[in-house]
Amino acid sequence: MKILILFIASASLAFFSCSSNVTKYNAVKNKNLVIPNFVGTNKSTVTVMVQEIYTQTNSDFIIKANIIKVDSASGAAAIAGATYLLVPKFDLDDQKNIVDSGDNKKLLNLAKLKSGDSFKAVISFSNYNGWFIDSVLSIPEKYKF
C-alpha cells in the first residue's frame, strides 16, 4: 500500500512538473521575439602611431600600430595603449579590383607612412579577420597625394 501511494505521489509530481514546463515553453514560444538579422560592426575612431608596415605591394600591406587615443563617443571596441595589426578595407568592384575613389586613395597613402608617424582613422574588428581600417580621417600632410 505504501508503495502504491509513493508511486502515485511521484507520478503526480512528475506529471505536474512536466506540464508546468510545457506551459512555460508555450508562453515563451508565443511571444513576439525580436531577433536581429545582422550583427553590427564595432567601429572605433582612433589615433594611432605606426610601429611597422609589412608591405607586399602598394595595396597589399598591414600596419602594426599602437593605439594612442580612442574617441570614447564612437562606442569604441579598441583600447588605448594596445598594439594592433591593421589591414586597409578597400572598396572593391565585382572583379575584386580596388575602386578608384577618394577613400581608397587615403587608404593607399597609408603604405607610405614610416615608423613613428601617426594618423586618425575609423577601425573595426571582425572575429574572423582581425582589425580593419575602414576610413582614414587624417594623415600627415607630407604623405597626401
Side-chain angles (χ1 to χ4, degrees):
M1 182 74 160
K2 287 183 183 180
I3 295 176
L4 182 60
I5 293 173
L6 190 58
F7 174 75
I8 293 173
S10 14
S12 299
L13 182 61
F15 174 76
F16 287 116
S17 64
C18 288
S19 64
S20 171
N21 288 341
V22 170
T23 304
K24 287 179 187 175
Y25 171 76
N26 285 336
V28 170
K29 182 178 158 190
N30 292 331
K31 288 189 178 187
N32 292 329
L33 300 177
V34 177
I35 300 171
N37 58 1
F38 68 93
V39 176
T41 306
N42 49 8
K43 295 190 178 204
S44 303
T45 302
V46 296
T47 303
V48 302
M49 181 184 300
V50 175
Q51 291 182 346
E52 199 170 344
I53 298 182
Y54 307 106
T55 306
Q56 293 233 265
T57 66
N58 288 344
S59 61
D60 186 11
F61 58 93
I62 297 171
I63 299 174
K64 181 179 180 183
N66 183 271
I67 307 298
I68 299 170
K69 180 182 173 191
V70 178
D71 180 1
S72 61
S74 68
I79 300 170
T83 300
Y84 297 131
L85 295 175
L86 305 172
V87 178
K89 188 175 183 182
F90 294 108
D91 292 325
L92 305 175
D93 62 17
D94 293 337
Q95 289 76 40
K96 305 289 185 201
N97 296 316
I98 296 175
V99 176
D100 186 21
S101 70
D103 288 337
N104 282 343
K105 286 179 183 176
K106 290 178 183 177
L107 288 168
L108 287 168
N109 279 338
L110 295 177
K112 301 175 188 176
L113 298 176
K114 306 290 182 216
S115 180
D117 288 334
S118 62
F119 64 95
K120 188 172 182 177
V122 176
I123 64 174
S124 61
F125 182 75
S126 165
N127 284 336
Y128 302 109
N129 300 314
W131 287 95
F132 288 99
I133 305 167
D134 294 320
S135 62
V136 178
L137 303 177
S138 67
I139 188 171
E141 200 61 41
K142 63 183 175 182
Y143 296 112
K144 294 180 180 178
F145 280 113

